[in-house]
Amino acid sequence: MHPYYAPESLNTSIPHREEIYTAMQDGSILEATAIRCDAQHNLIVALEGMTGIMPREECALGIDTGQTREIAILSRVGKPVCFQVQRIEQQTAYLSRRSAQQQALRHLMTRHRPGDIIDVRVTHLEPFGAFVDAGCGIVSLIGIENLSVSRIFHPSDRVRIGQKLKAVISSLDPDAGRICLTHRELLGTWEENSAQFTPGETVCGIVRSVEDYGVFVELTPNLSGLAEQRFPVTPGETVSCYIKSILPERMKIKLNLIDHINQSPASPPPLTYFIESGHLSRWQYSPSSCTTRLVQTEFDPPTIEDF
């Protein structure tokens, strides 16, 4: 049985007859693969010992009102779908992904608040951000500026389709049925990231931008340093660099470029989470000793005691 409200997975088994009958009785959510979409845009779902039919209007929230496009149905072929079992007639089970999504959305809106950390899965990428499944196919966007502190040119520099992520709820809009997410707060503060490095070391980094005054090199997704351009480099290239100094009071790391290593890596660098569960009221990236720049996120509204 598929856990309630979890993102739709990449690999799923075929539900057994007993699971299907139990789900019809108790309203639990199952998951199976959509194997075909017929001419009327009903999805045919792989079930053991019976035919699974998901009527067009039950394939996703908003299909019946026109808010969701037909491509949302067609693109599910060959992929897992969450659903509830509405009824069984002879050897045919009638399924609803829409009702599973309604439950997942209700759960998100009533059981969570801004600052809560949830599991998501990347579904597709656009230049402006990563779309993720927040539960049963409920789609949310993590804007490119919220994927990490270190700036990137495209979300594919940071994440890949199908990747499981942790995310923080930044806002909830029950009226619009919209959930907004952020990600960078889980990848560590400036001090937590810089503590992994020591002046005098030579380390690998990814060139993120080349400016007139120097080259920004990403050491971790939430930490970059500035190097003088001693030789030509291009964004996305991996280089070795010498750490000259680490300056918390200025939130800066000074580097020297040493050598080319390779061109753009085939996949994004791995992510290390400093926080993986629970709730964030406030997150401050900047070191307490830095007075020139404050980078922070407020999730809980301030109370009288905060003043």
Side-chain angles (χ1 to χ4, degrees):
M1 184 176 296
H2 187 70
Y4 269 104
Y5 321 125
E8 290 170 327
S9 60
L10 289 177
N11 300 303
T12 187
S13 58
I14 299 176
H16 299 288
R17 291 178 62 91
E18 294 78 10
E19 290 181 289
I20 299 165
Y21 277 99
T22 299
M24 181 181 66
Q25 294 170 351
D26 63 17
S28 57
I29 295 174
L30 300 179
E31 184 181 66
T33 300
I35 56 176
R36 182 162 55 91
C37 179
D38 66 19
Q40 288 73 44
H41 290 184
N42 305 308
L43 284 177
I44 312 303
V45 179
L47 302 178
E48 184 184 84
M50 63 176 65
T51 301
I53 296 179
M54 188 176 293
R56 171 188 171 277
E57 64 275 9
E58 299 297 332
C59 289
L61 276 172
I63 288 291
D64 55 340
T65 62
Q67 292 177 304
T68 300
R69 297 184 301 163
E70 297 293 315
I71 189 64
I73 302 176
L74 308 182
S75 62
R76 296 316 302 170
V77 175
K79 299 175 184 176
V81 289
C82 291
F83 58 85
Q84 290 181 301
V85 181
Q86 294 183 314
R87 68 186 190 278
I88 297 175
E89 296 179 0
Q90 297 181 346
Q91 297 301 309
T92 300
Y94 291 88
L95 316 174
S96 176
R97 184 170 179 249
R98 179 170 67 97
S99 63
Q101 290 180 331
Q102 286 174 329
Q103 284 213 32
L105 190 59
R106 189 179 306 117
H107 176 84
L108 286 166
M109 296 298 172
T110 60
R111 302 293 182 87
H112 288 287
R113 58 189 174 116
D116 284 358
I117 299 168
I118 63 172
D119 294 305
V120 300
R121 186 177 66 80
V122 180
T123 57
H124 65 283
L125 305 175
E126 295 290 346
F128 51 83
F131 285 93
V132 299
D133 175 356
C136 293
I138 297 296
V139 176
S140 182
L141 173 69
I142 304 177
I144 188 171
E145 72 281 1
N146 290 320
L147 283 172
S148 62
V149 173
S150 180
R151 295 182 180 180
I152 51 178
F153 285 98
H154 191 274
S156 60
D157 294 333
R158 183 68 64 226
V159 298
R160 66 184 185 278
I161 293 174
Q163 185 175 357
K164 294 180 180 179
L165 304 177
K166 301 289 183 177
V168 190
I169 297 174
S170 56
S171 67
L172 294 166
D173 186 343
D175 293 334
R178 184 179 300 115
I179 175 173
C180 295
L181 302 172
T182 182
H183 180 256
R184 64 177 191 163
E185 291 81 2
L186 304 178
L187 300 178
T189 66
W190 191 92
E191 289 180 307
E192 288 171 331
N193 280 274
S194 64
Q196 303 174 66
F197 303 96
T198 303
E201 289 185 310
T202 299
V203 298
C204 295
I206 300 173
V207 175
R208 288 304 183 198
S209 68
V210 179
E211 310 294 342
D212 293 339
Y213 51 85
V215 178
F216 283 99
V217 179
E218 176 186 304
L219 302 179
T220 74
N222 264 14
L223 186 70
S224 293
L226 183 64
E228 295 180 9
Q229 188 170 3
R230 297 178 53 247
F231 48 82
V233 293
T234 57
E237 179 183 357
T238 303
V239 295
S240 59
C241 48
Y242 173 83
I243 300 176
K244 293 169 58 178
S245 60
I246 298 176
L247 309 170
E249 67 280 1
R250 296 173 58 192
M251 203 163 64
K252 291 184 181 296
I253 295 183
K254 294 185 177 181
L255 307 170
N256 276 341
L257 294 179
I258 299 298
D259 200 1
H260 302 274
I261 295 180
N262 56 42
Q263 298 302 313
S264 301
S267 59
L271 298 172
T272 298
Y273 289 117
F274 287 79
I275 308 169
E276 295 192 18
S277 61
H279 175 83
L280 291 176
S281 297
R282 178 177 178 272
W283 178 76
Q284 181 172 320
Y285 176 74
S286 311
S288 55
S289 60
C290 179
T291 59
T292 58
R293 185 182 173 206
L294 179 62
V295 179
Q296 66 177 5
T297 307
E298 294 279 358
F299 292 102
D300 288 342
T303 62
I304 295 176
E305 290 77 11
D306 296 325
F307 294 96

